[in-house]
Amino acid sequence: MPDTFIGATMTDTGRGTFRLTGRPVTDPEDLAQLTLADDESAIEVPKIRRTFYGAADSYAVG
């Protein structure tokens, strides 16, 4: 959907991945739809909507 974004802060781990925080997925039906390794878990990250009002013009200083 246009104008939707991840509603969580993404923190760079420095290892080529990002860390997110969210609500743990615990519903058995939801977990059954996922393929997770034994040492993995899942989180839900909310979707937010933003309106883009345009970017400011940038001028080269010279």
Side-chain angles (χ1 to χ4, degrees):
M1 175 179 274
D3 300 320
T4 57
F5 299 87
I6 294 174
T9 301
M10 295 175 55
T11 306
D12 190 340
T13 65
R15 299 185 304 266
T17 59
F18 290 91
R19 182 177 301 122
L20 294 171
T21 55
R23 189 173 60 101
V25 176
T26 57
D27 183 272
E29 289 183 25
D30 290 339
L31 290 170
Q33 297 178 43
L34 305 174
T35 303
L36 299 172
D38 291 339
D39 62 343
E40 292 181 329
S41 58
I43 61 169
E44 274 190 321
V45 176
K47 176 174 64 171
I48 60 172
R49 184 174 173 90
R50 293 187 192 169
T51 302
F52 180 68
Y53 295 104
D57 289 333
S58 61
Y59 297 97
V61 178

